[in-house]
Amino acid sequence: MGADVTVRAAGVDEVAAVLAFWERAAEGVSISDDPAGVTRLVERDPGALLVAERDGVLVGTVIAGFDGWRCHLYRLAVAPEARRQGVGTALLAAAEEQFAALGGRRADAMVLRRNVTAHRAWEAGGYGPQEAWVRWVKPLS
């Protein structure tokens, strides 16, 4: 992880800032993109919403959910001005470390077909499409 980027779990007090960040940096919206949905996520799984900061400024997010069987990644988003600077790499590394510590063996990612920029980022992270399921996977061991 870059020395200038810190990745940590988000708190409930950051939900509004994360939602505002997603409006600016994420591609598309989800039915759960509201204060209640994100608060529920953070309260249920306090380590699932990871944020990346540079000099105290939010520059990236990823949701790293583990259901006890599979590892799921959502909402990998990097601020436009911080892209191609290792922020996404740092977020994925933190998520993968978290999954490995929980016993996860493979991660899958929800990626919009039309978001070609994201496809390149996921491929750079070692993920690839699993066309039969239209999801992206990467073995963690």
Side-chain angles (χ1 to χ4, degrees):
M1 171 172 1
D4 64 336
V5 176
T6 302
V7 176
R8 62 172 179 76
V12 172
D13 60 327
E14 297 174 280
V15 167
V18 168
L19 286 166
F21 176 79
W22 286 345
E23 282 189 30
R24 183 171 75 87
E27 186 74 23
V29 294
S30 164
I31 193 168
S32 302
D33 288 355
D34 59 34
V38 180
T39 298
R40 188 171 39 255
L41 167 71
V42 174
E43 288 177 345
R44 182 184 176 282
D45 189 353
L49 176 55
L50 300 175
V51 295
E53 295 178 320
R54 180 179 287 140
D55 299 322
V57 175
L58 179 60
V59 293
T61 66
V62 71
I63 296 173
F66 181 62
D67 61 15
W69 182 44
R70 291 192 177 161
C71 308
H72 305 285
L73 295 161
Y74 311 90
R75 283 294 184 216
L76 176 62
V78 176
E81 68 277 6
R83 292 181 183 156
R84 302 194 53 81
Q85 297 174 23
V87 175
T89 299
L91 284 161
L92 289 179
E96 291 167 6
E97 287 174 22
Q98 193 166 289
F99 290 152
L102 293 169
R105 298 186 297 182
R106 179 183 70 193
D108 62 59
M110 299 294 290
V111 183
L112 290 171
R113 288 181 193 260
R114 71 175 187 264
N115 192 346
V116 176
T117 300
H119 296 181
R120 289 190 292 267
W122 285 105
E123 287 170 351
Y127 291 76
Q130 188 179 38
E131 294 299 338
W133 293 98
V134 191
R135 64 179 177 170
W136 294 56
V137 299
K138 175 184 176 182
L140 297 178
S141 59

